[in-house]
Amino acid sequence: MSSTFLYGANVHANGIRQHYLRYGGAQGERAARPAVIVIPGITSPAITWGFVGEVFGATFDTYVIDVRGRGLSEASATLDYGLDAQAADVVALAAALGLERYALVGHSMGARIAARAALQANGALESVVLVDPPVSGPGRRDYPGKLPWYVDSMALARQGIDAEGMRAFCPTWTDEELRLRAEWLHTCDERAVLASYEGFHTDDFHADAAQLTLPALLITAERGDVVRDEDVADLQHATPALQHVRVPDAGHMIPWDNAAGFYAAFGDFLGAPLAQQAESVTAEVTI
């Protein structure tokens, strides 16, 4: 498949500089479909999700964003790194880009941002996809990812680390993926990451998910222990219309572990199936 990458750009929205990468564009069949905003996780600048943007861009006008305090978006000692501010960024970005119809696809922290943004957004937001969201929060078990893993790897990245040094943190990743993480991890502001990690345990994701009134899809990893079967049951009990797909042979970083299974999990939920799917991959769907 030829590249669908168009350009990277900045926009002033919600009072800060927000950086994004655009894939696909709004020409041809994509013009009739909602745009897609991809919101990465806690230490994932937009460029590390570029391979996902490439695939989405073949079917949708796609924007992969740098969450505040990551990548090339604004960061500072005085910036609010709370969930409400992150969600307001997404809604303001969509408005600044003039998107009349769009969907949110959030991974991990990005899924929690997407769920909160859905409570703030206007009618332009049509659907939300929540990819392996941390279900930790008040009165619930801790997030399984441990804080030193993030802090230690970011400290090494700020000093300068190569792909081989990053392998100790991400042993299953390819050389190319490790090089990209080693290159860009230093752009993740530690203050932003600490605030988001704390929010994993103080913000109530289940309460946000229970208020979703637009079409929503939950995509979870078979491995990784982030979203267990009982968590899915709780979420679907609170939001019966929430669709769910469990992706086999994948840990928390689903598209890294099973890209074909990840793309297949969307089906036609966004209005059209994603172009790159492996026919041999099947996913268990519960509605």
Side-chain angles (χ1 to χ4, degrees), residues 20-286:
Y20 63 89
L21 304 175
R22 189 179 186 187
Y23 298 82
Q27 296 77 35
E29 294 182 347
R30 289 185 294 261
R33 299 168 183 153
V36 172
I37 298 177
V38 177
I39 313 170
I42 188 169
T43 55
S44 294
I47 195 168
T48 63
W49 275 71
F51 71 104
V52 175
E54 291 278 8
V55 174
F56 271 80
T59 309
F60 302 98
D61 186 17
T62 302
Y63 301 81
V64 184
I65 68 171
D66 277 326
V67 176
R68 58 170 59 199
R70 284 87 174 170
L72 300 181
S73 285
E74 189 165 331
S76 78
T78 59
L79 206 59
D80 179 0
Y81 291 115
L83 184 58
D84 279 331
Q86 294 171 325
D89 285 348
V90 175
V91 176
L93 174 82
L97 295 174
L99 301 182
E100 297 180 355
R101 302 172 62 211
Y102 68 98
L104 298 178
V105 175
H107 171 254
S108 193
M109 176 193 75
R112 292 171 72 106
I113 295 172
R116 183 64 61 87
L119 306 182
Q120 301 179 7
N122 58 24
L125 177 60
E126 296 191 353
S127 62
V128 175
V129 181
L130 311 173
V131 182
D132 223 41
V135 294
S136 48
R140 300 185 181 274
R141 72 178 188 278
D142 288 346
Y143 178 61
K146 302 306 179 184
L147 186 58
W149 186 90
Y150 300 102
V151 173
D152 293 349
S153 60
M154 288 190 298
L156 290 171
R158 288 194 298 272
Q159 295 173 11
I161 189 174
D162 61 10
E164 193 56 39
M166 193 59 69
R167 194 180 303 278
F169 297 91
C170 308
T172 64
W173 289 23
T174 67
D175 289 346
E176 181 180 3
E177 291 163 352
L178 291 169
R179 282 194 296 269
L180 200 58
R181 186 164 179 82
E183 179 185 2
W184 281 88
L185 184 58
H186 77 93
T187 69
C188 294
D189 190 297
E190 184 174 291
R191 295 162 296 199
V193 173
L194 291 175
S196 293
Y197 190 87
E198 180 182 2
F200 286 175
H201 302 92
T202 57
D203 295 315
D204 193 342
F205 168 73
H206 284 258
D208 287 349
Q211 297 180 68
L212 292 173
T213 58
L214 43 70
L217 170 64
L218 175 68
I219 297 177
T220 62
E222 185 180 57
R223 297 182 277 104
D225 202 37
V226 174
V227 187
R228 299 174 181 171
D229 290 342
E230 57 265 34
D231 301 319
V232 175
D234 284 349
L235 291 166
Q236 290 191 309
H237 176 74
T239 311
L242 180 68
Q243 300 179 43
H244 173 237
V245 180
R246 181 78 83 180
V247 179
D249 302 319
H252 182 56
M253 303 300 284
I254 299 175
W256 278 257
D257 293 339
N258 183 354
F262 174 68
Y263 302 129
F266 287 83
D268 61 359
F269 178 80
L270 295 173
L274 294 163
Q276 182 174 322
Q277 296 184 12
E279 293 180 358
S280 61
V281 174
T282 58
E284 177 186 354
V285 182
T286 59

